[in-house]
Amino acid sequence: MDFFADTAEVSELRQLAGLGLLDGVTTNPSLIAKSGRKMAEVIAEICAITSGPVSAEVVSTATEAVVAEGKALAAIAPNVVVKVPLTEDGLAACRAFVASGIKVNVTLCFSLVQAIVAAKSGASYISPFVGRLDDINLDGMRLIRDIREAYDVQRYTTKILAASMRSANHMGEAAKAGADAVTAPAAVLRGLTRHPLTDAGLAKFMSDWTAAQR
Ligand code: G3P
């Protein structure tokens, strides 16, 4: 399972790359806006940090505009994956991108049938939002399991990119559910190695060792 960072903060991405925890990056309009930087500038800088897939999301909504915007984003670097919303216009644009050899991440997926139409449109990635389903008391991880089952039965090759991951627990559950990749904020990725019993156990080993040296 690939680990993607869901952030547009380049300092966070450099740290994660140094730790070997960066297989790719996802961004969205909210994250780019939060960075306070221009979309093209920040995507170019991110693509220089990782050679893995970097999702850059369009902010247009009508097919022709999405296609024009996505082509400009794809021209920034060879590892850019154009991210489009799961709408009729988004999927029409997806088919146009696929015909031009541009990889697409279809985002804002909240149901199995949405994931199926995205696969039929040739998406390289489908992004089901686990945390936002949990937020409204639905079972986000159940959606990952359902998509995995349907894609395997139908032999769709679209990769399942579990998004809106809010915790280390989410990441473990996504791995069991068969996600091909997960995307999470840097803080969640940095938390994957942590366990209070690891910290307590290490402290005890160190104090026992130090005491024995006296
Ligand atoms: O980037 C898409 C997704 O990961 C957003 O997550 O936490 O804003 O629901 P969140």
Side-chain angles (χ1 to χ4, degrees), residues 6 26-28 31 83 107 129 131-132 163-166 183:
D6 201 24
T26 56
T27 63
N28 62 38
L31 294 170
K83 201 171 173 190
T107 190
F129 278 29
R132 291 193 194 182
S164 191
M165 297 272 101
R166 306 274 178 75
T183 188

Side-chain angles (χ1 to χ4, degrees), residues 119-173:
K120 284 176 69 65
S121 302
S124 293
Y125 294 95
I126 182 69
S127 291
F129 278 29
V130 172
R132 291 193 194 182
L133 283 167
D134 290 353
D135 288 344
I136 57 166
N137 296 322
L138 294 173
D139 185 349
M141 211 53 73
R142 171 74 191 265
L143 177 58
I144 302 297
R145 289 194 293 274
D146 286 348
I147 297 172
R148 178 76 283 150
E149 183 180 347
Y151 277 15
D152 288 349
V153 167
Q154 298 296 331
R155 296 193 174 83
Y156 292 139
T157 55
T158 300
K159 290 187 172 172
I160 303 170
L161 170 47
S164 191
M165 297 272 101
R166 306 274 178 75
S167 65
N169 191 43
H170 262 158
M171 311 251 317
E173 291 300 315

Side-chain angles (χ1 to χ4, degrees), residues 172-185:
E173 291 300 315
K176 286 199 304 183
D180 297 292
V182 286
T183 188

Side-chain angles (χ1 to χ4, degrees), residues 61-99:
T61 52
T63 304
E64 275 187 25
V66 170
V67 170
E69 191 187 346
K71 285 187 173 174
L73 290 171
I76 294 172
N79 52 330
V80 167
V81 174
V82 176
K83 201 171 173 190
V84 303
L86 211 159
T87 59
E88 284 185 356
D89 284 282
L91 293 182
C94 176
R95 287 189 287 275
F97 290 133
V98 172

